[in-house]
Amino acid sequence: MAGLKGKTGIVTGGSSGIGFQIANVLAQAGATVYVISRTGKPKEGVGESAPGVVHLRGDIGNAEAMKTLVAELAAKHNGCLDFLVNNAGVSYKCRAEDFPMEQFDNIMNVNVKYLFQMSVICYPYLKKSADKGRIINITSMSAIWLQRGGAVLCQQGRCAGDDPRSGRGVGAGQHHRQQHCAGVVPQQNERAGSGRSPGAENSEPDAAARLR
């Protein structure tokens, strides 16, 4: 694990699951990590956060509130942020012909619109990072895998901000490199269309290393 002492950043949706673990790993490497979630605290049963993790309650869909919060956090660190991990996301499992449009809208808002919105809000502070700020979008392999029984796990929006051909996407440009990480591990013996490609187990990037 690369040393991240002195680095500061934000992880959205980090009250449990992969976001909670990402925040812990980054903090254990020396970073100060602000976790923004709806509850503002770890969910029951997930364990203790590592020293250096600060949980904050916030709604990433509220742009004005996020502008204020991000500005306040950056002000504590010389007006700078070093990374943003867009981890917050939602899904809804349902057959396509029965899929409620209000759920589709919610998925597109949380997984696409708010991801872009947070990237734009954090950009002025990320570009001040001495090592170039990083934006990491956590996506789901469910967006491209077929589901058993014809069911649709609609996380397609989780990949909408990514361009896997170039390794760049939302927030990636002159000042930033964006990484794409999948947090789904398939079961063994799954049929074609729902498992990893050969050699994929060695292809996932080390999130903290990418922040160097």
Side-chain angles (χ1 to χ4, degrees):
M1 175 64 66
L4 297 177
K5 185 176 181 180
K7 304 299 182 184
T8 303
I10 293 172
V11 176
T12 65
S15 62
S16 64
I18 189 172
F20 179 82
Q21 297 300 335
I22 288 172
N24 279 348
V25 169
L26 294 174
Q28 289 165 358
T32 298
V33 184
Y34 295 102
V35 173
I36 300 175
S37 67
R38 291 173 296 178
T39 61
K41 60 183 179 180
K43 290 185 178 179
E44 185 176 354
V46 301
E48 296 292 328
S49 292
V53 175
V54 180
H55 287 269
L56 302 169
R57 186 174 182 177
D59 177 6
I60 61 171
N62 187 330
E64 293 306 313
M66 286 299 102
K67 288 178 182 178
T68 299
L69 178 58
V70 170
E72 291 174 352
L73 297 179
K76 297 179 181 180
H77 303 276
N78 298 317
C80 171
L81 292 174
D82 297 294
F83 59 86
L84 166 66
V85 180
N86 284 310
N87 173 73
V90 296
S91 63
Y92 189 83
K93 192 171 184 178
C94 178
R95 292 188 64 88
E97 63 268 31
D98 300 322
F99 207 96
M101 289 309 298
E102 62 269 21
Q103 291 295 337
F104 180 86
D105 290 340
N106 186 48
I107 288 168
M108 296 304 291
N109 280 336
V110 177
N111 296 356
V112 183
K113 178 181 177 181
Y114 300 160
L115 175 152
F116 181 80
Q117 185 170 273
M118 281 298 293
S119 299
V120 170
I121 290 171
C122 291
Y123 178 77
Y125 310 104
L126 289 166
K127 71 179 182 179
K128 294 180 181 179
S129 172
D131 297 315
K132 296 185 180 180
R134 265 55 168 180
I135 296 175
I136 301 176
N137 293 338
I138 306 303
T139 63
S140 172
M141 292 303 292
S142 297
I144 58 175
W145 288 347
L146 298 176
Q147 302 297 315
R148 290 194 181 97
V152 176
L153 178 59
C154 192
Q155 288 196 320
Q156 280 78 356
R158 295 287 278 173
C159 290
D162 302 343
D163 182 354
R165 296 166 299 176
S166 65
R168 295 182 179 273
V170 175
Q174 180 179 359
H175 298 282
H176 306 286
R177 289 188 300 175
Q178 179 179 3
Q179 306 301 327
H180 317 285
C181 305
V184 175
V185 179
Q187 296 178 357
Q188 293 182 349
N189 300 324
E190 290 193 333
R191 296 182 182 277
S194 62
R196 284 188 173 187
S197 59
E201 64 276 8
N202 297 320
S203 64
E204 295 298 337
D206 183 321
R210 294 299 189 182
L211 297 177
R212 288 182 291 174

